[in-house]
Each structure stands twice: as structure tokens, then as C-alpha cells.
Amino acid sequence: MNSMLSVLEDTFAEAFKMYGTRLVITAVNEQWAMHAAKCITGFATSVIGCGCEAGIEGEVERTLDGRFGISVLIFSMSKESLEKQLLNRIGQCVLTCPTASCFNGLDSEDKLLVGKKLRYFGDGFQMSKVIGGRRFWRIPVMEGEAVIEEGYGVTESVGGGNILILADSVEHALYASERAVSSAKCINGVILPFPGGVVRSGSKVGSKYKFLHASTNTAFVPQLRAHTSGSLPSGVRSVMEIVFDGLSLVAVKDAMRLAIEAAAESEGVLKISAGNYGGNLGKYKIYLREVMEVGNHA
Amino acid sequence: MLRLELMEELKIPVEAPKLKPDVIVNCSSIKDVEHIPVHHGNEDAYLGDFFKVSGEIDDSVLIEGDLRKVKRIGEGMSQGSIEIHGDVGMHLAKDMSGGKVFVDGNVSDWMASGMSGGIIRVNGSVGNFACASYWGEKGGMSGGVVFINGSAGADLGRRMRRGIVFVSGSVGKFVGVDVIAGTIFVMGEAAEGIGAGMKRGSIVLYRQAGLLPSFLYSGEFKPYSMLLYSRYLGDLFQLELPLEFESGYFRRYMGDFLSLGKGEILVWSH
């Protein structure tokens, strides 16, 4: 713990309120379930540029139809925008994918009735089936039949939890990030939406250009030390960020703790920090040392 | 669990619509249970006149004996469970909206008519008009799940608008007549008149049967929704559908074209 504290900066990650849902995608085998899951979570790294943040949560042991299943999490800033994203993504990525079906994976009173709109693709030949209190739509398609659940649970979630791994080389920063990602993925209800779970281009709010709302995080860019306030410790030659979106604050904190533990033990890691905007923008301040203390007491 | 044992064979029917967990849980003593009113022919009587009552009062009831002349057990029940060992009379679980009924024996006519929720399992056969609407009533079964581990008589699921009925044996004439929605499975033989007048809904047959000319062959396909039923019913009733059935191809007949024509009869394709 002491060695970990020495690399852990006394700062906080600033996270935001988002709305999230969990979908369970099943198909005839792993290959086709994964095609649909990868497709539906594609181009969903940042809500700023993609409209939502999404990722594969993991394999589902027992699915409603008994086939191979993968759960994915999708987050957006409002219920309305999440519904729009689900409509587009289920419609374009699951409805189109051979043998794939889409089910709700989040127990919540609050539901987005996406299947109710997607059913119209059946052009009047769709059929509704209520099984175990849940409504499913059987939509006739050229392959045969697509099964899409009507309602998807939505819950207030946490987006933008993060850590920054400051290392003495690109290789060490990347290796530490890979370890951190691999550890954090053990936590249910959390996804790391960026490529491989890692961001190399962390951003700050605003820029010198009026038309740009976010730009490179100059304070953590190693080769811009001459122009910044010098918050980057000497010897740091590369910084990677890991972003965490979760269905609950607890899940995000747990994932961050595992990620920090894994990264801190990695060779060449000089500091572990976090991105924030002075605490003025996000609803949640996740203090890194608090996260580790909670983990230690648990 | 409360235990009711029929004391002697009945010659005149007893109507016991209040014999259900909803009423029993409000009884404070065995004596209260014995004072639940019933009809014996055209006379008023009490449950205790015919049944020996014992056990603890909670929301589960065990009824034993030859109950063929006991009608309307579980009428309108919304909670708890009724377990019946023996054959039972007409109108069992009429207008049931919740809870569970288990029968180890045969059931007479009009079982689960007007049912809107809950679960029924019959280890035996049922008579006519199971899960059906009463004459003159517009809507039939509107929810719930029924598993008949035996055969069913005529007019099963008449005017059904929601719910699932699974029959492991054969069914009589006019199964699913005038169905509006919902799903009926028949694993045995089905007599003539299947789905006559149906608007929407599904009748799933394991064996090919003679169909009405107002149903048109509409192709062969693999309905993935069958997997949902298979898992759901499997969990609920420890029921195992043949693998080739749940993941196989089905011939689809659409109809009844004398009505809306959007109903389907799915016949497992051998």
C-alpha cells in the first residue's frame, strides 16, 4: 500500500451523471453473437463525438433463449438520447445480424420501449409474445425471424471515471494500461469504452479555437512541458488514460481500484493521476486515495 | 400448509368459490376456515360440513379426495397456492389472476376460464372449454400459464387473448377457436377445427393435423421465439421439449382468412 501511495497522486477523477442500459445479445454461436455485440458497441468511445459510450461487458452464463449470449452496456447523457441510440444500434446491428436476438439485461422499473418502435419493420406482420411478463417482438425477416424484446431497463449511471497512467516510456505506459484494463474488466456493470480500454488522447475542456469544445490535455502531454504549468513529473515520457463508465458509482470505484492496483505494480509507472475539471463540471468526485482506502478496508 | 380432506363421497355438487388462499389467509383459526360458506345444491352450507380441516393457516392449501363434484375451487384467486390430489370438478381457477394451482388428477370442464394471471399445472387430463371464454363473453384467457400434462377436451383456449397453454397430449375439436392472441402448444393429436376464426395468436403443433381450408400454407422457417418458450416452460414446469422441436423448422399456416388472417398454426417440420 505504501509503495502504491507513493505513485498515487492526491487528486480526484471527475465523473458525470449518465443514463445506462444493459442489453443481452444472443445468437446461434459465439461468433455471431460477437459480430452483433462488436457492431452495436462500435464507434461509441465518447458521448461527445459518438452520441453514446458503449462496450462489451462479458459473456452471459444463462440466457433467455439458452443460446450463447453477450451483455453490452450503453450510456448516454439523457434517456431520450439513449433511446435514440438504442433504436439506431439495435435496428442496424442486431436486427440485421443473422440469428441474433436482443433482450433486456437490466432489471429496472424505468424502461425504454425501443422494441415497440422497431417492430414496425415487420410491416404489419410482426407478432407480439408475452412470456414471463416480458413482451417480445417476433419480426419476420428474410432469414426467418428476429426476436427483439420490447423494453430495456434504464438507470442513472456514472460516466467518465478515469485514471491517468504516467510512465517512463510508451511501452511501459501501454503495458501498465493493458494490465489495468484486464483487471478492471472483472467488475460487472462497468465498461471501458475506448479502443482496448485505453485513451492516448485525453482531452481538456475548451481550446484556443472558438469552434472546438475539447482539445488535447496539454497538462499531460510530455512534449509540451515548456508551455504548461509543469504538473507532469520529470521522467514521464508517455501518459495513457483509462475511462470507466458504470451502472453504479460503486462499480466504477471498484473497477478503478483494481485498475490502479494493477497499474501501480507495473514497471516504469511513475505516477497515477486522474483527469478533472476543477470539480466544476461533473456530479461525482472520485478521490483516488479514497478509492484505494475503501478497497483496503473491504 | 392448510390441509383439507373430503370426508365422504358427494352426491350433490358443492360450489366452493371462496375456497382459495385469498380468503383462507384472512382466517384466524381452523374454525374460521370451517365456516367458509359454500353451496350444497341449492342450500347454503359450510366448508367444514364436507372437509376435515387441519394444518397451519398460510397461503398454501392442500385438498385431497374425490372432488369431481366440487366446483369453482380457486375462483378469482390472486395469490398463494392450491394443491389438489384427486380428480376435481368444473370451473377450477375460474377468473384466476395470480398464484399457483397444481392438480394431481383430472379436471372437469371450464378450467381456468377467464384466467388473467398465475400458473396452473395439471398432471392429468382436462375437460372441455379449458382456458376458454364463457358463452356470450367477448374475451377469454388474458394471461397466465397453463401446463396440462395429459389431454384436453374441445374448445381449448377459445377466444384467448394472451397467455400460454401447453398440452402434452391431444386436444379435442376447435382448439384455439376465435383466438385473438396468445400461444397454445399441442404435442399430441389435434382434432378438426383448429384455430377456426382466429385473428392473431399462435397454435403450435408437434404433429401435422388436418387444417381448415381458410388457413394457407405460408412457408417453412426457424422461429427463434420457440427457444424462449422452451426455456421458460422448462424452468417453470421442469419440462423438456424435444431438442429438434425447440430448434427446428416449422411449417407455417396463416389464417383464419375468414377472419383477420394474421394468426398462425406452426407445425413442426419432420
Side-chain angles (χ1 to χ4, degrees), chain A residues 62-67 99-101 103 124-127 129-133 135-136 138 143-147, chain B residues 162-164 181-183 200-202 221-229 231-232 235 252 254 262-264 266:
Chain A
R62 191 173 162 75
T63 59
L64 282 180
D65 61 7
R67 300 191 297 171
T99 78
S101 298
F103 305 116
F125 296 106
Q126 67 273 16
M127 283 185 114
K129 291 292 169 191
V130 179
I131 305 172
R135 187 181 293 278
F136 304 90
R138 292 172 53 200
E143 183 225 6
E145 176 177 278
V147 178
Chain B
R162 205 173 294 130
I164 304 168
T183 308
R200 288 192 168 87
S202 309
F221 76 122
K222 192 182 240 189
Y224 297 120
S225 50
M226 212 55 71
L227 296 163
L228 290 176
Y229 286 109
R231 289 298 175 281
Y232 178 66
D235 288 348
R252 189 186 210 210
M254 296 200 73
K262 288 192 171 177
E264 64 176 1
L266 297 176

Side-chain angles (χ1 to χ4, degrees), chain B:
Chain B
M1 176 185 270
L2 192 72
R3 188 175 170 194
L4 274 72
E5 204 178 340
L6 190 67
M7 291 189 288
E8 56 187 51
E9 195 184 330
L10 293 168
K11 293 204 169 90
I12 297 171
V14 168
E15 294 199 9
K18 289 190 167 27
L19 177 43
K20 56 183 172 180
D22 306 67
V23 172
I24 287 167
V25 289
N26 292 322
C27 295
S28 53
S29 65
I30 295 287
K31 214 163 195 176
D32 282 354
V33 177
E34 289 171 343
H35 272 83
I36 290 175
V38 298
H39 300 291
H40 184 221
N42 58 0
E43 288 178 358
D44 291 337
Y46 296 105
L47 203 60
D49 297 340
F50 308 98
F51 290 92
K52 185 182 159 194
V53 184
S54 60
E56 283 176 21
I57 293 172
D58 59 16
D59 67 349
S60 55
V61 193
L62 171 67
I63 312 171
E64 292 172 306
D66 180 359
L67 305 163
R68 282 177 297 175
K69 288 203 184 294
V70 185
K71 302 176 182 176
R72 298 170 67 184
I73 294 176
E75 179 173 315
M77 74 180 273
S78 65
Q79 56 172 297
S81 69
I82 297 178
E83 193 174 326
I84 298 172
H85 291 178
D87 295 348
V88 64
M90 289 199 282
H91 309 287
L92 174 72
K94 169 185 188 290
D95 295 331
M96 176 181 182
S97 63
K100 289 179 184 172
V101 173
F102 171 75
V103 183
D104 196 8
N106 300 314
V107 183
S108 188
D109 299 340
W110 296 109
M111 182 191 82
S113 53
M115 181 181 186
S116 61
I119 297 161
I120 299 177
R121 178 184 180 134
V122 179
N123 275 348
S125 293
V126 303
N128 300 319
F129 310 112
C131 313
S133 67
Y134 282 107
W135 299 116
E137 278 185 7
K138 207 174 173 186
M141 179 176 176
S142 61
V145 190
V146 175
F147 172 38
I148 300 163
N149 197 9
S151 299
D155 278 67
L156 172 76
R158 182 172 175 270
R159 293 203 168 178
M160 178 180 184
R161 62 169 58 234
R162 205 173 294 130
I164 304 168
V165 179
F166 187 97
V167 184
S168 67
S170 29
V171 295
K173 292 178 183 176
F174 295 108
V175 56
V177 68
D178 288 340
V179 154
I180 298 160
T183 308
I184 301 172
F185 290 87
V186 180
M187 300 302 278
E189 306 285 339
E192 66 263 42
I194 303 165
M198 75 189 287
K199 289 181 177 165
R200 288 192 168 87
S202 309
I203 299 172
V204 186
L205 305 177
Y206 189 50
R207 296 157 201 250
Q208 182 70 54
L211 302 181
L212 292 166
S214 49
F215 280 81
L216 300 182
Y217 177 66
S218 194
E220 203 163 314
F221 76 122
K222 192 182 240 189
Y224 297 120
S225 50
M226 212 55 71
L227 296 163
L228 290 176
Y229 286 109
S230 171
R231 289 298 175 281
Y232 178 66
L233 294 171
D235 288 348
L236 210 55
F237 301 115
Q238 285 73 54
L239 175 72
E240 271 186 38
L241 288 177
L243 188 65
E244 72 276 10
F245 181 73
E246 65 168 35
S247 56
Y249 285 85
F250 285 76
R251 285 191 294 276
R252 189 186 210 210
Y253 300 86
M254 296 200 73
D256 184 339
F257 279 97
L258 293 181
S259 180
L260 189 64
K262 288 192 171 177
E264 64 176 1
I265 297 174
L266 297 176
V267 184
W268 179 60
S269 176
H270 289 257

